[in-house]
Amino acid sequence: MSEQQTLSIIKPDATSRNLTGQVNTIIEKSGLKIIAQKRIKLTEEIAGKFYEVHRDKPFFQDLVSFMISGPVIVQVLQGNNAIALYRKIMGATNPVEAEVGTIRKEFALSIEANSVHGSDSIENAKKEISFFFSETEIIKN
Ligand code: ADP
Ligand code: MG
């Protein structure tokens, strides 16, 4: 295990229900530290670029529309094994399959409106963090 950083997004279905604090409580209880955070509104272009790998999927247009439907919170989380740990506490993509106690089991509305995003590899975490944050916005200690 090693100290890692991962990108988290609290999605519009969660911000619209005022769940930012409750999601952050689950994050902090897991031991992960929120070392950068901002509330922004994505544009169609930015959301499309962020989800570029899914461009050919049937749900791509809907996903982009959903992600720009309201504000999102983008965050950098740091901790031991942060990438896998955050994926674990997020729960499965489809909330029906997510384990009890996970963010998606607790809060997600559907496979699309599933409350949070988390990076899935070291390489993608690096890419996704620099997509939203500059070095000076990330305060490590
Ligand atoms: P994850 O967010 O768990 O890494 P994916 O990378 O596979 O999942 O998908 C990205 C996002 O696209 C999901 O979090 C969800 O919002 C949406 N999505 C994935 N699969 C579907 C689907 N079958 N129908 C609608 N939306 C989906
Ligand atoms: Mg993914």
Side-chain angles (χ1 to χ4, degrees):
M1 295 227 282
S2 61
E3 196 72 3
Q4 293 176 338
Q5 293 177 2
T6 192
L7 183 88
S8 164
I9 305 177
I10 302 178
K11 296 183 178 182
D13 68 286
T15 60
S16 67
R17 287 176 290 150
N18 220 13
L19 294 171
T20 300
Q22 289 185 65
V23 171
N24 281 350
T25 295
I26 296 177
I27 290 170
E28 291 183 333
K29 279 192 173 151
S30 78
L32 290 168
K33 196 166 178 178
I34 301 163
I35 61 166
Q37 173 170 270
K38 57 190 175 189
R39 185 172 187 268
I40 58 175
K41 187 112 191 292
L42 300 179
T43 62
E44 182 155 10
E45 192 189 348
I46 291 171
K49 206 167 156 205
F50 182 78
Y51 278 121
E52 192 64 49
V53 298
H54 295 304
R55 195 170 283 279
D56 295 333
K57 307 261 172 71
F59 58 80
F60 177 76
Q61 271 313 326
D62 275 357
L63 174 61
V64 168
S65 299
F66 162 62
M67 290 300 291
I68 67 174
S69 67
V72 298
I73 314 291
V74 289
Q75 313 174 300
V76 181
L77 310 182
Q78 181 169 300
N80 225 330
N81 214 15
I83 297 165
L85 175 57
Y86 191 46
R87 295 289 305 187
K88 186 166 191 280
I89 67 164
M90 282 164 57
T93 308
N94 187 346
V96 171
E97 292 161 13
E99 279 179 44
V100 173
T102 61
I103 295 166
R104 284 168 166 172
K105 185 66 173 186
E106 295 295 308
F107 303 125
L109 300 175
S110 67
I111 191 169
E112 177 181 83
N114 59 4
S115 303
V116 280
H117 166 87
S119 308
D120 62 7
S121 66
I122 292 175
E123 192 195 349
N124 284 336
K126 283 210 177 85
K127 265 196 233 164
E128 292 176 1
I129 289 168
S130 62
F131 187 86
F132 285 113
F133 292 93
S134 65
E135 283 287 325
T136 55
E137 291 177 305
I138 301 168
I139 313 299
K140 291 178 191 164
N141 286 300

mmCIF file of all heavy atoms in Angstrom, residues 54 87 117-118 120, ligand 2:
data_model
loop_
_atom_site.group_PDB
_atom_site.id
_atom_site.type_symbol
_atom_site.label_atom_id
_atom_site.label_comp_id
_atom_site.label_asym_id
_atom_site.label_seq_id
_atom_site.Cartn_x
_atom_site.Cartn_y
_atom_site.Cartn_z
ATOM 1 N N HIS A 54 -16.003 7.119 -22.756
ATOM 2 C CA HIS A 54 -17.351 6.549 -22.894
ATOM 3 C C HIS A 54 -18.103 7.105 -24.110
ATOM 4 O O HIS A 54 -19.289 6.849 -24.282
ATOM 5 C CB HIS A 54 -18.175 6.831 -21.637
ATOM 6 C CG HIS A 54 -17.644 6.147 -20.404
ATOM 7 N ND1 HIS A 54 -17.462 4.785 -20.343
ATOM 8 C CD2 HIS A 54 -17.262 6.630 -19.193
ATOM 9 C CE1 HIS A 54 -16.991 4.464 -19.148
ATOM 10 N NE2 HIS A 54 -16.852 5.563 -18.434
ATOM 11 N N ARG A 87 -12.862 3.680 -4.466
ATOM 12 C CA ARG A 87 -13.749 2.841 -5.284
ATOM 13 C C ARG A 87 -14.581 1.927 -4.377
ATOM 14 O O ARG A 87 -15.759 1.688 -4.621
ATOM 15 C CB ARG A 87 -12.940 1.982 -6.276
ATOM 16 C CG ARG A 87 -12.184 2.746 -7.346
ATOM 17 C CD ARG A 87 -13.024 3.381 -8.390
ATOM 18 N NE ARG A 87 -13.932 2.499 -9.080
ATOM 19 C CZ ARG A 87 -14.667 2.855 -10.145
ATOM 20 N NH1 ARG A 87 -14.582 4.097 -10.635
ATOM 21 N NH2 ARG A 87 -15.485 2.014 -10.721
ATOM 22 N N HIS A 117 -18.214 10.059 -8.574
ATOM 23 C CA HIS A 117 -17.203 9.512 -9.486
ATOM 24 C C HIS A 117 -15.917 9.309 -8.705
ATOM 25 O O HIS A 117 -15.589 10.112 -7.824
ATOM 26 C CB HIS A 117 -16.914 10.496 -10.639
ATOM 27 C CG HIS A 117 -15.666 10.151 -11.397
ATOM 28 N ND1 HIS A 117 -15.647 9.265 -12.455
ATOM 29 C CD2 HIS A 117 -14.364 10.527 -11.198
ATOM 30 C CE1 HIS A 117 -14.403 9.128 -12.881
ATOM 31 N NE2 HIS A 117 -13.605 9.884 -12.143
ATOM 32 N N GLY A 118 -15.158 8.273 -9.038
ATOM 33 C CA GLY A 118 -13.811 8.099 -8.474
ATOM 34 C C GLY A 118 -12.887 7.523 -9.526
ATOM 35 O O GLY A 118 -13.293 6.644 -10.303
ATOM 36 N N ASP A 120 -10.124 5.308 -11.495
ATOM 37 C CA ASP A 120 -10.021 3.842 -11.426
ATOM 38 C C ASP A 120 -8.599 3.291 -11.569
ATOM 39 O O ASP A 120 -8.410 2.085 -11.574
ATOM 40 C CB ASP A 120 -10.954 3.202 -12.463
ATOM 41 C CG ASP A 120 -10.594 3.591 -13.887
ATOM 42 O OD1 ASP A 120 -9.554 4.251 -14.087
ATOM 43 O OD2 ASP A 120 -11.349 3.215 -14.808
HETATM 44 MG MG MG B 2 -15.256 4.955 -14.443
#
